[in-house]
Amino acid sequence: MNDFIEELRWRGMLQDMTAGIEAHLNEGQATAYLGFDPTADSLHIGHLVGVMTLLHFQRAGHQPVALIGGATGMIGDPSFKSAERNLLDKDTLDRNISGIQRQLEKFLDFGSDKPNRALLVNNYDWMAGFSFLEFIRDVGKYITVNYMMAKDSVKRRLEEGNGLSFTEFTYQLIQGYDFYHLWKHQGCSIQLGGSDQWGNIVTGTELIRKKEGGEAYALTVPLITKADGSKFGKTEGGSVWLDPEKTSPYAFYQFWLNVSDTDASKYIRIFSTLDRKTIENLEEDHQEAPHLRLLQKAIAKDVTIRIHSEADYQMALKASGILFGKSSLEDLASLDERTFLQVFEGVPFMQVARAAYLEADNVVDLLCTDQTIFSSKGEARKLIQGGGLLINKVKISDPRAKPEIPLLQGTYLLIQKGKKNYFIIKIEG
Ligand SMILES: N[C@@H](Cc1ccc(O)cc1)C(=O)O
C-alpha cells in the first residue's frame, strides 16, 4: 500500500485536509467518495482532477466511490457560483448520468472482485424517497442556519447582493447527508473534492458527528490555475470535453500540446500517471531543449491514450505533424474527415462542382475555377513550373497535366502554395 497523501503532495494535488486523516489512512484500507453533478452528458477536463484523485486513492489500495449527483444535479451547487442555476429535468439528468458513468470506467477499476474495487452510486437513489418532513427532522435539525450561512460560498452570494434561493441554500445539507449516508452504509469515512467543496464536505463531517458521534474526514485538491491567469480548460471553442463527439481526440491532444512550459510542469503531475522519476527526467530533458515541448507531448500522449485510445493518439500525432513537420499523401489520407477539417480549420475553401472537376482539362483550369487560390492562370503556371505547388502533398510539375490526384475522403484536395499557404478545394456533388 503506498502513501496516498504523500502521492498527492508531490503531485501538487493537496490543498487542505482535516486533522487525523493520515493516521486514519495508515490503519488500513479506507473508503472515500467524490461527487460529480451531472450537469452535462460528459465530464470536461476540469473534472479530471477529481477523477485522478480517486484513481490515486485506488492505486494506494483504498476503495474509491464515485458519486453521481442525480439528486444534487436537480438543485445546482451554489458554491462560488455567482448566479442561481437552472433546474435540469429528469430525462436530461438520466442521459447525463450514463455518459459520465462510461467515462469514469476508463479510470477506475469497477469490475474486479478485489476488496478495493470502485463503486458507483447515485444520490437520487436515497434522496428521491426522502419526504420533506423527514428530511427537515432527520437532517435539518442538526445544522444551524448560522452555521450554514457562515460558509464562504454562501457568504459570497449574500454579499454580492444576489442572494440565493432556499433551494440552493439547502444544497449543502443534501451533500452533507450523502456523506452521512455513505458513512453509515458503505463505511465511507473520507470525502474528497475540489477546494470549492470544503464547506459542503465539512457540513457532512459535522452531521456525522452530531447525529452519531462519528468521525469522518475531508480532503480537498487545489483548483487548477493557469500561469497567465486565464481560466483552465477553456479554449475559444468552449470547454474541453472528454466525449470525442464534443471535443475530437485531435483537438483534445492539441489542447495539451499547447499548454505553457510553466503549466506543463504542473499539469504532468496532476493529469498523467507517470511516476516521479520519469517526470523529473522529462523536466531535465525539457529544460535542455524547451522547443521540443517534451513535457507537453508526454502529457498529451498519456491523457489522450487514457481517455480516447492508442489509435486516436496515433491519428492526433499524425495530424499534428502535418502543419508543422514533414508528411506524405499517406498521412493525409489516413485522417478521418473531421480531423482533416480541424487540422485545416480557417484555411480558404474553394468549391468546385464534381462535373467541372471531372471535365477539367488541366490542373491550372481547376485551380483557377475562381480567384480563391490564384488571381490569374499565369500566376498558377509560373508557380507550378517553379516547383512550388503541391496537391495532397504531391508536387505538381506539369501545368497541362490532368488533375489525377485521388481526392481525400472522396471530396477534398489540399492545395499548398509554397511551404505554408494552404487552400482546400471541395468537390461538390
Ligand atoms: N457539489 C459537488 C458535487 C457533489 C454532489 C453530491 C455530493 O454528495 C458530493 C459532491 C460539485 O458541485 O462539484
Side-chain angles (χ1 to χ4, degrees):
M1 207 178 261
N2 67 6
D3 187 339
F4 172 62
I5 305 271
E6 188 40 41
E7 182 80 20
L8 292 192
R9 199 174 271 133
W10 78 258
R11 287 185 183 272
M13 291 172 75
L14 191 59
Q15 178 82 28
D16 270 313
M17 51 185 179
T18 48
I21 187 173
E22 296 202 71
H24 174 65
L25 285 170
N26 286 334
E27 284 163 13
Q29 183 183 313
T31 302
Y33 95 96
L34 183 135
F36 303 93
D37 274 348
T39 42
D41 61 3
S42 167
L43 298 173
H44 52 70
I45 58 173
H47 292 115
L48 272 186
V49 198
V51 180
M52 295 308 286
T53 313
L54 285 173
L55 173 78
H56 290 302
F57 194 69
Q58 187 168 39
R59 287 187 157 200
H62 300 293
Q63 178 171 51
V65 178
L67 175 145
I68 302 201
T72 35
M74 296 182 119
I75 310 293
D77 187 350
S79 302
F80 304 100
K81 303 269 170 6
S82 56
E84 183 87 13
R85 302 216 265 157
N86 293 331
L87 294 174
L88 296 174
D89 62 70
K90 184 82 175 63
D91 283 352
T92 312
L93 283 167
D94 285 345
R95 203 165 353 100
N96 294 355
I97 290 168
S98 46
I100 294 174
Q101 206 161 323
R102 264 181 283 119
Q103 293 173 340
L104 288 171
E105 281 163 6
K106 300 195 170 158
F107 294 84
L108 302 173
D109 178 4
F110 290 95
S112 71
D113 47 14
K114 293 196 197 108
N116 72 330
R117 71 171 190 287
L119 299 179
L120 190 89
V121 296
N122 180 350
N123 61 11
Y124 189 81
D125 293 342
W126 56 83
M127 287 308 303
F130 222 143
S131 83
F132 184 69
L133 272 178
E134 273 172 338
F135 190 79
I136 53 175
R137 288 177 66 98
D138 293 354
V139 183
K141 202 68 182 164
Y142 294 95
I143 306 288
T144 66
V145 169
N146 316 37
Y147 178 84
M148 292 170 70
M149 298 223 326
K151 305 274 167 186
D152 285 345
S153 53
V154 174
K155 264 203 300 211
R156 192 181 297 192
R157 266 287 191 89
L158 296 175
E159 279 159 13
E160 278 165 9
N162 296 327
L164 75 173
S165 64
F166 179 70
T167 311
E168 286 195 3
F169 184 54
T170 58
Y171 187 100
Q172 58 171 294
L173 286 186
I174 305 184
Q175 185 164 340
Y177 182 77
D178 286 344
F179 197 2
Y180 170 78
H181 176 92
L182 294 172
W183 176 82
K184 182 100 181 144
H185 302 288
Q186 306 277 359
C188 173
S189 53
I190 301 167
Q191 187 178 163
L192 310 166
S195 56
D196 59 338
Q197 295 297 309
W198 182 263
N200 293 343
I201 297 176
V202 299
T203 300
T205 58
E206 183 74 358
L207 192 63
I208 292 167
R209 193 174 62 78
K210 289 220 166 133
K211 260 176 95 72
E212 308 227 1
E215 185 145 34
Y217 307 89
L219 185 148
T220 54
V221 295
L223 291 186
I224 306 300
T225 52
K226 274 174 69 178
D228 68 4
S230 62
K231 202 168 162 164
F232 169 74
K234 297 272 182 210
T235 61
E236 280 158 37
S239 297
V240 180
W241 299 96
L242 306 198
D243 180 349
E245 298 298 319
K246 288 184 153 59
T247 299
S248 72
Y250 168 71
F252 186 85
Y253 178 83
Q254 281 287 320
F255 170 83
W256 297 103
L257 204 59
N258 287 321
V259 305
S260 72
D261 286 350
T262 323
D263 290 336
S265 269
K266 218 164 65 181
Y267 297 170
I268 195 162
R269 290 169 165 73
I270 299 176
F271 297 106
S272 87
T273 47
L274 299 173
D275 63 31
R276 192 169 188 167
K277 192 87 217 97
T278 310
I279 291 176
E280 283 167 0
N281 286 341
L282 268 167
E283 275 176 321
E284 263 171 45
D285 295 346
H286 182 94
Q287 237 141 47
E288 271 163 37
H291 65 281
L292 296 177
R293 303 184 82 74
L294 291 176
L295 278 175
Q296 286 89 340
K297 284 178 185 162
I299 314 176
K301 175 178 179 188
D302 192 87
V303 191
T304 306
I305 293 178
R306 168 155 307 102
I307 298 195
H308 300 294
S309 66
E310 174 73 33
D312 286 324
Y313 161 68
Q314 290 299 342
M315 173 141 78
L317 196 63
K318 239 179 231 164
S320 304
I322 286 177
L323 284 182
F324 306 105
K326 274 201 163 48
S327 61
S328 64
L329 173 60
E330 285 76 55
D331 293 333
L332 268 183
S334 72
L335 305 184
D336 61 25
E337 180 170 10
R338 182 177 180 213
T339 308
F340 171 75
L341 292 176
Q342 280 183 343
V343 171
F344 295 101
E345 201 178 271
V347 159
F349 242 77
M350 178 167 91
Q351 314 225 354
V352 175
R354 195 164 293 264
Y357 164 71
L358 293 171
E359 281 157 21
D361 283 336
N362 58 66
V363 250
V364 172
D365 284 353
L366 176 70
L367 291 168
C368 298
T369 303
D370 67 23
Q371 300 203 329
T372 307
I373 307 178
F374 291 104
S375 50
S376 72
K377 290 190 180 180
E379 188 196 340
R381 244 176 252 122
K382 218 159 123 199
L383 188 73
I384 292 172
Q385 278 154 356
L389 187 98
L390 288 88
I391 299 184
N392 296 350
K393 296 280 172 191
V394 177
K395 190 178 280 180
I396 304 298
S397 43
D398 181 2
R400 283 156 312 177
K402 268 195 84 84
E404 269 166 351
I405 319 259
L407 300 178
L408 301 167
Q409 305 294 330
T411 311
Y412 305 100
L413 290 171
L414 179 71
I415 312 300
Q416 207 174 333
K417 277 166 82 173
K419 259 212 162 81
K420 287 211 174 92
N421 286 319
Y422 286 101
F423 301 84
I424 289 175
I425 299 184
K426 182 171 187 198
I427 309 299
E428 297 271 40

